[in-house]
Amino acid sequence: MTDVAVIDYGMGNLRSVEKAIVHVAGGAAVRVTDDPEVVMRAERVVFPGQGAMPDCMAEMEARGLHQAVVAAAATKPFLGICIGQQMLFEHSEEGDVAGLGIFAGQVRRFPEAKMVDAAGQRLKVPHMGWNEVWHHGEHPLWRDIPDGDRFYFVHSYYVDPADAAVTAAHTDYGLRFTSAVARDNIFAVQFHPEKSARAGLQLLTNFMHWTP
Amino acid sequence: MLAKRIIPCLDVSAGRVVKGVNFVELRDAGDPVEVARRYDEQGADEITFLDITASSDDRDIILHVVEQVAEQVFIPLTVGGGVRTVADVRRLLNAGADKVSINTAAVTNPDIVAEASGKVGSQCIVVAIDAKQTAPGKWEVFTHGGRRNTGLDAIDWARRIEALGAGEILLTSMDRDGTKNGFDLGLTRAISDAVRIPIIASGGVGTLEHLAQGVSEGRADAVLAASIFHFGQHTVQEAKAFMRERGIEVRL
């Protein structure tokens, strides 16, 4: 029995995600897998992602993981990370590619025109580094994480949900964007909890204890 | 607001930290895992390892170091030094590195930047630029520890590697490295203004004021330092408190 399946579709590096989850898992079985059967049988599912979303979608489809991901997102405690959050949406401006459509809305690139800070200095893209995450209401995954705590980000695109009610947190970078979404058994974040020191490990711990 | 990052850098040779470490605490001097943990506890935003292992027989040792550190330290880890091929990049990422820094190989074979970022994503690829001033307002790219001039203009080169897919630039002034006289702020600002990707300023930090200047005057997105942290002169916390006093956004 796999307690936590970390979905591997061949993109980017999942070692950091695996190590961070093992660190907080308290002996639970953690498996990095591209096997749809293992995903289907897992108690909890983590859906990470790095790189470009069109490549991620293509690799996921090529491995026959589409159905397993959709099924897991419908039933199990499900944590999307970075591109794993973006892929849950309908469509991305990156490569004009369709996502899984589990959340209504778009994935957009940081608009050049807004990439200026309060002092008039140009903001870099990718948005890379530690930024503040401001909660929208209570959620079990925010337990023991102060509102406005910093998490580690690295991305050039962000999600823009059609339904504002799914936004679980926002972050400011040139504009205000949704940095976490939540609905039922799904929680998904733009930042990297596995690289976010104490705050990130707390969020992963909360995920391991979450019973939606 | 996005915080400016402070990145301690560790030179590692054959599995040991070689620039001396806080010698007050002798018990863990030289052990990269212990040193990385201490910096993590102090609030370092990332950690960079530069593998300066001379013998090719000992090259794989860095992989074990990265594996051990990645099991205990949950902030971004960058590893550089001797990275020649996409296979080298993959090995380091698989060991637990989050970013890999490419230096000489990017100059001799720029395609490696495009190939590596295409395979693993720009976010994993840092290109290190070692630059020296050759005339007022002009800097050129050097390799082999500053001994070999490539003739490449540093600003043109920065734009080129950005176009090839570099996610970040680690910019070291070879004029300042080791001097403790502060960053080359003209160089840092020129490169930072020339590209849209983040710049890590490196080379010359001797005081906390230097770190603040790298951000405020050099417009760096992150500042890297070795000796002021290794020798116990300052902790990362002190550096952050100082920068915050100067009105710089940091993660405390």
Side-chain angles (χ1 to χ4, degrees), chain B residues 47-140:
Chain B
I47 293 173
T48 290
F49 290 103
L50 283 184
D51 182 19
I52 58 167
T53 303
S55 158
S56 56
D57 294 346
D58 292 334
R59 276 263 164 233
D60 286 348
I61 294 174
I62 191 71
L63 298 174
H64 302 298
V65 169
V66 172
E67 270 178 23
Q68 288 174 351
V69 172
E71 273 163 18
Q72 302 183 42
V73 174
F74 298 98
I75 57 176
L77 304 177
T78 301
V79 183
V83 177
R84 307 245 180 276
T85 64
V86 175
D88 292 338
V89 172
R90 278 205 188 279
R91 269 194 292 277
L92 287 165
L93 293 177
N94 286 334
D98 299 287
K99 310 181 201 180
V100 173
S101 176
I102 306 173
N103 191 344
T104 304
V107 173
T108 55
N109 174 26
D111 289 344
I112 190 185
V113 178
E115 196 190 338
S117 63
K119 291 258 167 64
V120 300
S122 289
Q123 79 285 345
C124 297
I125 303 301
V126 181
V127 175
I129 299 179
D130 291 347
K132 256 188 194 178
Q133 188 157 18
T134 53
K138 178 158 175 72
W139 297 267
E140 290 181 339

Side-chain angles (χ1 to χ4, degrees), chain B residues 4-11 19 45-50 78-80 101 126 128 130 168-173 177-178 182-183 188 199-207 210-212 214-215 220-230 236 239 243:
Chain B
K4 300 296 181 182
R5 289 169 281 153
I6 296 184
I7 307 175
C9 178
L10 303 175
D11 285 356
K19 274 189 190 169
D45 296 310
E46 299 186 25
I47 293 173
T48 290
F49 290 103
L50 283 184
T78 301
V79 183
S101 176
V126 181
D130 291 347
E168 197 172 26
I169 291 172
L170 169 55
L171 177 65
T172 302
S173 162
D177 202 27
F183 295 120
T188 307
I199 302 294
I200 304 165
S202 159
V205 172
T207 67
H210 293 152
L211 291 174
V215 170
D221 302 281
V223 286
L224 180 137
S227 54
I228 66 162
F229 298 130
H230 293 335
V236 177
M243 287 172 78

Side-chain angles (χ1 to χ4, degrees), chain A residues 15-16 130 132 150 195 197, chain B residues 1 3 74 94 98 221 249:
Chain A
R15 285 301 294 270
S16 294
W130 299 79
E132 292 153 333
R150 290 180 186 274
K195 287 284 121 187
Chain B
M1 239 173 97
F74 298 98
N94 286 334
D98 299 287
D221 302 281
E249 191 86 8

Side-chain angles (χ1 to χ4, degrees), chain B residues 174-248:
Chain B
M174 300 312 287
D175 298 311
R176 299 299 181 92
D177 202 27
T179 66
K180 299 184 187 288
N181 290 333
F183 295 120
D184 182 336
L185 297 171
L187 167 69
T188 307
R189 180 147 180 179
I191 302 287
S192 189
D193 286 349
V195 296
R196 301 199 66 212
I197 54 178
I199 302 294
I200 304 165
S202 159
V205 172
T207 67
L208 298 182
E209 181 68 45
H210 293 152
L211 291 174
Q213 284 171 342
V215 170
S216 57
E217 294 173 47
R219 294 193 178 171
D221 302 281
V223 286
L224 180 137
S227 54
I228 66 162
F229 298 130
H230 293 335
F231 296 109
Q233 187 183 341
H234 293 289
T235 63
V236 177
Q237 278 128 322
E238 287 167 2
K240 288 189 164 184
F242 182 89
M243 287 172 78
R244 172 168 274 196
E245 270 175 37
R246 293 298 165 97
I248 296 168

Side-chain angles (χ1 to χ4, degrees), chain A residues 102-119:
Chain A
I102 292 166
F103 287 97
Q106 301 290 314
V107 181
R108 303 192 191 281
R109 187 172 170 89
F110 282 115
E112 186 97 26
K114 298 213 171 167
M115 291 294 102
V116 182
D117 71 9

